[in-house]
Amino acid sequence: MARIDDRYNAGETEAKWQRIWDERGCFAADDPKGRPKYYVLEMFPYPSGRIHMGHVRNYTLGDVVARYKRAKGFAVLHPMGWDAFGLPAENAAIERGIHPATWTRDNIAAMRGQLKSMGLSYDWRREFATCDPGYYRHEQKMFLDFLKAGLVYRKESWVNWDPVENTVLANEQVIDGCGWRSGAPVEKRLLSQWFLKITAYGEELLTGLAGLERWPERVRAMQENWIGRSEGLRLSWRLQGRTDRLEIFTTRPDTLFGAAFCAISPNHPLAAELAAGNGELAAFIAECNRMGTSEAVVEAAEKKGWDTGLSAIHPLDPDRTVPVYVANFVLMEYGTGAVFGCPAHDQRDLDFARKYRLPVVPVVLPPGGDPAGFAIGDVAYTETGTLFNSAFLDGMSVEDAKKAAIQRIEADGNGQRTVNYRLRDWGVSRQRYWGCPIPVIHCPDCGVVPVPDADLPVKLPEDVTFDRPGNPLDHHPHWSRTTCPTCGAEARRETDTFDTFFESSWYFARFCSPDREDVAVDRAQADAWLPVDQYVGGIEHAVLHLLYSRFFTRALADCGIVGIREPFDGLLTQGMVCHETYKSEGGGWLYPDEVTTGADGALETKTGRPAIVGRSEKMSKSKRNVVDPAHIIATYGADTARLFMLSDSPPERDLDWTEAGIDGAWRYVNRLWRMVAVPNLPLPPLGTPMPALGAEAEEVRRLIHRTIAAVGEDIERFHFNKAVARIRELTNALGELKGGADSAWVLREGLETAVLLAAPMMPHLAEEMWQALGHDTLVSETAWPEAQPALLVEDTVTVAVQVNGKLRATVSLPKDADAATAERIALAQPQVGAAMSGKPPRKVIVVPNRIVNVVV
RNA sequence: GCGGGCGUGGCGGAAUGGUAGACGCAGCGGACUUAAAAUCCGUUUCCGUAUGGAGUGGGGGUUCGAGUCCCCCCGUCCGCACCA
């Protein structure tokens, strides 16, 4: 029968320490007061109802950092809250008749309980939900501040309309022409929308990326790509027989003499004007819009154009004209919605020219090319070269020709050098109920009037119904009816709400002073804590949330609300949690716990029939390859789950959840516990002075201190898997300790060290072991151990001996032995002599304490 | 097409240009047990009985020495994409 104390009772133990931490307020973040501060933040969750493994991974990573930094003496701010506005709450209301507020509150309560069971070191006093009026009132104020600062405007614009969700989507929420959530093909609609001028910060958001040294390269690359800066020329072409001009943007002004046509977007005002008197063109435009967003893949196939009959006069040669087309490949949203086409040096233009039999005149000659013989076939020449067929540009390089062409166009007053961005302003209006009301009033006489500060917050009404499609705020009998704050006339409230990315764009700042009712951010607190030193979250937010937050922070800074311009100093993007997928013979997905894996392969437990094992993919409800964290924590405890999240894969890589992996973690938790419950040597009492150490004890003691140094470094660099490996190495060595009082003393030192090093990862177990070792303090309040430098230095080192680069022997040498000694001992090795087969050494390379390489 | 990441045992993964495979998982052998579980010990890159040889996606290069640096190629994953 097992001894009563050699099996670790995770459930009871974890609850006990969670209660004690809570009572002692161990994780309350108070004013740093001179101590170095450290703000670690994990992306707060949407309260969907239950935590999933992605949360467990995310929050474990953050918690390790928080606990480690706390032990290192930092004043740590580690808060948690709820990103509580969003569509699922409304869907629940529609599908199950539960009010979004109720649904959200219940979910938060359930998830808070689950997070608490993980033993995360949050300062729960700072918790908030973004659907609280106490939170969103401040973002209404921010919006009005931005309005005053000229960072907000309203315009009619083409929007992406999701016909299933009855709402507008941001460009980023449209994936392959379909709504990111509904998957329905997106339609184009013209609506009046509020926009935030994120483009005003385009340049700064781009250049700022260079300073984000502790961000993953790929996230910076994705943002750079998204901002899409390109330098070029904006120039206008006169149109024959018209007084207006056609404004185009190009990055290749050097190829102007190769121009064969101009093309405008189907949504260009000129196209609309021409279509008014031309049914055929109108039909063509309608066709383009239908294709538009929905068939991004299919439409890559064909370039189509419609000849307007207009001629544009070449800006560098008034004797030349080119035809003007309406073309389906020209985007109104980019540049000026019009381009000139140079078929010889742009593949798309070439395809178009071939189709409509337009001339293809090469103007850039490849290096070493023959000007007389160079012709373009089916492939445009897009590389660099020397200009020809180009009047005053002839003989120049592409780079020089660009400059010269721009100079000439500018001198002629036909255009100017310009920088264009792919980034577009952020449309924030959503025709949805469960979001933050946009605080403006529409007055028939005064137009759009901001809600006065004194009337904030504009609260969401609770009494709404979800029995019709569309926005419940529109259907509310009287909520939108109000009076104009300026003239007192009857007026109407804006019924749109903010994009929910609004809330997550500043929550990190709110955590600094969550209780301040009068202001969004207590400036002194914000100055003390911001920026976030380490942000941890999923790669899926690489562009949207992170770019909006960077923009918002700058806008808030320019409104004097915060004193920083970059919100997140360091960013760790964790990989996904994956699991094998299973299908029954019938083809339906199976949950992992419906499958038994044995000698005969995978079987469906219920029927005994073979189950088809698919590849490991991101855990998702639709594929049923999910493991419920609550179940895991109830079975093995939070520490085991946390350990598994950390031990196998580096954080930024995908992690495969396996039964064997969680079992392995569970075994180690028990093994650690047994090491103090039933130690392999009788431990001396706490505080026993160090006896004289024998060789074995001394060697293990060195390992203890090497481990301290290594684990600290590993955690600093987020190499948690390596930190776990080193702690295991240490405990392996401790478990093998034999001998007398000296070994027992070292065993105690080793166990105490292992406890402290493992505490950020397995905090409950660490407390329990610490107590079992006789301490009446908390690990959570104990400083990180310090490695004694003297013990990090070895007096003998193992040096590899190579002959011609191949390992032939290893020799033990005194540390820092001189080269001559090393060489002498190395050459004396029999294996070395054999490998040299009698030849004299031509050269001997000695790298002290590392290697001796004999070249023969 | 553009940009980025990755490629190391059966598997997850370690290796400041200096002993490739730490640590774990799985496997195999053994101990304990009536038996099983748990635990413990040993073993485990490949070829070879062995001295030994080969080996980090492929090819070349730099170097006394390359998984690591440089060039070319292949595969794979992710992001963006009629962006003018």
Side-chain angles (χ1 to χ4, degrees):
Chain A
M1 188 180 147
R3 289 176 49 149
I4 193 111
D5 57 350
D6 73 355
R7 184 100 182 165
Y8 180 64
N9 186 333
E12 265 176 40
T13 308
E14 294 186 348
K16 175 179 74 184
W17 292 110
Q18 284 161 17
R19 197 173 55 244
I20 291 169
W21 293 331
D22 196 39
E23 284 164 6
R24 304 260 310 227
C26 289
F27 311 125
D30 296 314
D31 244 302
K33 289 199 195 87
R35 274 185 304 164
K37 69 95 182 177
Y38 198 86
Y39 184 178
V40 55
L41 181 68
E42 298 105 58
M43 291 180 183
F44 67 163
Y46 178 79
S48 57
R50 302 183 71 79
I51 62 170
H52 54 67
M53 281 300 171
H55 291 129
V56 175
R57 192 174 194 197
N58 191 177
Y59 304 149
T60 298
L61 294 171
D63 201 46
V64 171
V65 175
R67 285 177 180 270
Y68 169 75
K69 286 289 178 182
R70 217 173 269 118
K72 288 288 276 185
F74 287 81
V76 171
L77 174 58
H78 187 214
M80 181 45 74
W82 310 96
D83 191 13
F85 276 136
L87 281 178
E90 277 185 73
N91 294 340
I94 294 162
E95 285 158 23
R96 278 175 277 167
I98 310 165
H99 193 280
T102 313
W103 185 83
T104 304
R105 270 195 296 270
D106 290 352
N107 285 350
I108 288 174
M111 286 176 77
R112 184 192 299 116
Q114 291 193 307
L115 290 190
K116 288 199 169 181
S117 78
M118 281 183 64
L120 301 163
S121 64
Y122 293 129
D123 181 354
W124 282 106
R125 299 173 311 170
R126 293 174 187 256
E127 175 192 4
F128 58 76
T130 57
C131 62
D132 296 338
Y135 181 81
Y136 69 69
R137 68 176 298 158
H138 299 296
E139 76 186 37
Q140 291 178 338
K141 177 72 164 58
M142 285 171 192
F143 177 80
L144 299 176
D145 287 344
F146 291 170
L147 192 62
K148 276 184 216 138
L151 292 172
V152 173
Y153 63 97
R154 185 173 159 82
K155 78 167 184 203
E156 282 249 300
S157 76
W158 289 101
V159 295
N160 306 301
W161 180 262
D162 186 321
V164 170
E165 304 211 326
N166 277 312
T167 190
V168 166
L169 301 175
N171 289 321
E172 302 89 291
Q173 292 168 337
V174 179
I175 295 153
D176 288 336
C178 296
W180 68 325
R181 243 196 267 267
S182 72
V186 166
E187 297 166 8
K188 293 242 165 193
R189 284 203 187 177
L190 199 57
L191 277 184
S192 228
Q193 304 281 307
W194 287 103
F195 285 84
L196 259 54
K197 263 195 211 166
I198 188 171
T199 54
Y201 293 88
E203 189 68 36
E204 198 193 329
L205 289 169
L206 182 67
T207 54
L209 290 171
L212 297 174
E213 283 162 21
R214 291 199 298 117
W215 278 42
E217 183 59 39
R218 61 172 176 155
V219 174
R220 288 187 290 177
M222 281 160 84
Q223 293 212 352
E224 189 176 329
N225 197 315
W226 192 264
I227 294 166
R229 181 185 198 274
S230 63
E231 288 183 13
L233 171 70
R234 202 176 258 256
L235 87 159
S236 63
W237 296 57
R238 285 182 291 140
L239 293 169
Q240 237 166 27
R242 291 177 64 103
T243 51
D244 59 339
R245 292 170 153 238
L246 183 63
E247 182 109 348
I248 64 108
F249 172 73
T250 180
T251 55
R252 293 297 301 273
D254 54 308
T255 65
L256 261 170
F257 285 101
F261 62 94
C262 283
I264 62 173
S265 164
N267 296 319
H268 195 280
L270 179 59
E273 182 201 317
L274 297 171
N278 188 320
E280 216 179 304
L281 176 56
F284 176 74
I285 291 170
E287 188 198 324
C288 293
N289 280 337
R290 227 173 310 120
M291 296 271 293
T293 48
S294 61
E295 291 175 58
V297 184
V298 185
E299 49 105 17
E302 203 173 16
K303 317 266 171 274
K304 279 190 184 169
W306 195 88
D307 191 346
T308 62
L310 291 172
S311 291
I313 299 162
H314 199 285
L316 294 175
D317 181 358
D319 296 335
R320 286 175 60 182
T321 64
V322 298
V324 178
Y325 283 78
V326 176
N328 65 348
F329 62 84
V330 182
L331 304 173
M332 193 58 220
E333 299 85 0
Y334 186 77
T336 60
V339 299
F340 87 85
C342 173
H345 305 291
D346 182 291
Q347 191 59 45
R348 190 195 42 207
D349 293 346
L350 182 63
D351 295 345
F352 191 80
R354 293 292 186 222
K355 176 159 181 171
Y356 294 101
R357 295 169 198 264
L358 298 165
V360 178
V361 181
V363 291
V364 179
L365 189 66
D370 168 22
F374 183 62
I376 300 292
D378 291 333
V379 182
Y381 180 73
T382 53
E383 308 292 305
T384 183
T386 310
L387 273 285
F388 71 126
N389 295 335
S390 293
F392 69 97
L393 300 177
D394 280 354
M396 293 184 189
S397 69
V398 165
E399 266 326 289
D400 290 345
K402 280 182 183 173
K403 285 183 202 137
I406 291 172
Q407 219 162 38
R408 174 68 66 89
I409 295 285
E410 283 184 337
D412 292 348
N414 285 330
Q416 60 183 35
R417 210 190 83 87
T418 180
V419 176
N420 198 52
Y421 297 90
R422 202 188 77 108
L423 180 70
R424 281 168 241 153
D425 279 334
W426 176 15
V428 295
S429 300
R430 294 292 181 275
Q431 292 66 45
R432 277 286 160 183
Y433 165 70
W434 194 235
C436 171
I438 298 177
V440 296
I441 289 164
H442 298 277
C443 170
D445 300 323
C446 312
V448 174
V449 182
V451 172
D453 286 359
D455 295 345
L456 295 181
V458 178
K459 281 194 191 172
L460 275 181
E462 296 260 329
D463 51 335
V464 285
T465 55
F466 294 89
D467 45 6
R468 301 183 258 175
N471 183 353
L473 290 179
D474 273 338
H475 309 147
H476 194 281
H478 54 79
W479 181 77
S480 66
R481 263 189 275 161
T482 187
T483 52
C484 173
T486 308
C487 70
E490 261 190 46
R492 194 167 181 279
R493 282 189 194 287
E494 170 86 49
T495 56
D496 285 355
T497 51
F498 285 133
D499 179 3
T500 55
F501 278 115
F502 222 95
E503 283 81 54
S504 54
S505 293
W506 69 282
Y507 78 108
F508 48 88
R510 182 65 180 169
F511 276 131
C512 299
S513 52
D515 296 328
R516 281 294 295 261
E517 286 178 20
D518 52 334
V519 289
V521 174
D522 176 313
R523 184 59 192 269
Q525 286 295 311
D527 286 348
W529 289 112
L530 293 177
V532 173
D533 295 278
Q534 188 59 49
Y535 200 29
V536 188
I539 187 72
E540 66 271 20
H541 292 112
V543 178
L544 310 185
H545 161 59
L546 290 170
L547 192 61
Y548 291 150
S549 298
R550 294 182 63 223
F551 155 62
F552 229 82
T553 303
R554 287 167 168 80
L556 290 175
D558 288 340
C559 292
I561 296 169
V562 298
I564 53 158
R565 298 188 81 76
E566 282 288 355
F568 311 121
D569 206 37
L571 174 68
L572 176 63
T573 51
Q574 97 242 13
M576 301 180 295
V577 181
C578 300
H579 196 287
E580 275 184 336
T581 48
Y582 307 103
K583 276 186 176 177
S584 70
E585 284 186 320
W589 297 106
L590 295 171
Y591 288 104
D593 55 14
E594 295 175 319
V595 174
T596 314
T597 318
D600 324 328
L603 298 175
E604 192 175 346
T605 313
K606 209 161 49 183
T607 61
R609 296 217 179 104
I612 301 142
V613 181
R615 63 172 214 164
S616 185
E617 293 182 60
K618 179 185 182 176
M619 283 189 183
S620 77
K621 277 183 199 154
S622 62
K623 288 181 180 153
R624 300 201 169 178
N625 59 338
V626 288
V627 174
D628 183 5
H631 178 70
I632 295 296
I633 291 169
T635 311
Y636 300 97
D639 285 338
T640 299
R642 294 168 59 122
L643 175 63
F644 180 44
M645 286 292 155
L646 297 166
S647 56
D648 270 3
S649 300
E652 44 310 300
R653 265 197 236 180
D654 288 353
L655 176 136
D656 254 316
W657 181 278
T658 60
E659 196 71 21
I662 191 75
D663 279 344
W666 170 236
R667 276 201 298 276
Y668 187 60
V669 165
N670 278 285
R671 176 150 182 249
L672 271 176
W673 170 242
R674 277 196 310 274
M675 289 185 82
V676 297
V678 280
N680 44 317
L681 293 171
L683 293 178
L686 197 61
T688 305
M690 184 171 75
L693 299 185
E696 186 204 3
E698 176 71 23
E699 193 40 56
V700 173
R701 185 149 193 261
R702 287 178 180 279
L703 175 64
I704 293 169
H705 286 264
R706 278 204 307 274
T707 305
I708 294 172
V711 169
E713 242 175 74
D714 287 337
I715 293 181
E716 299 269 3
R717 291 154 68 184
F718 308 133
H719 293 176
F720 305 121
N721 54 329
K722 284 166 63 185
V724 171
R726 295 203 204 272
I727 294 169
R728 290 185 101 125
E729 235 173 342
L730 172 61
T731 51
N732 285 347
L734 294 176
E736 280 164 21
L737 264 175
K738 292 178 201 70
D742 62 336
S743 291
W745 189 90
V746 168
L747 178 59
R748 171 175 275 281
E749 186 186 32
L751 287 173
E752 295 195 346
T753 303
V755 165
L756 294 174
L757 298 183
M761 306 165 187
M762 297 171 276
H764 312 86
L765 175 66
E767 295 288 7
E768 190 71 8
M769 288 173 74
W770 192 244
Q771 188 182 53
L773 285 165
H775 292 273
D776 54 12
T777 52
L778 291 180
V779 174
S780 302
E781 294 172 352
T782 302
W784 193 251
E786 276 185 49
Q788 292 184 19
L791 293 171
L792 299 177
V793 184
E794 299 289 333
D795 8 288
T796 59
V797 288
T798 307
V799 171
V801 184
Q802 299 179 336
V803 178
N804 288 338
K806 283 195 178 161
L807 182 73
R808 296 299 172 182
T810 56
V811 292
S812 197
L813 293 176
K815 184 168 165 60
D816 298 328
D818 59 88
T821 311
E823 182 176 333
R824 183 169 46 73
I825 295 173
L827 287 172
Q829 300 302 306
Q831 309 94 310
V832 174
M836 290 164 68
S837 55
K839 289 175 215 146
R842 197 154 54 93
K843 192 175 171 190
V844 179
I845 289 112
V846 179
V847 181
N849 305 325
R850 285 238 167 239
I851 206 160
V852 177
N853 191 11
V854 183
V855 185
V856 298

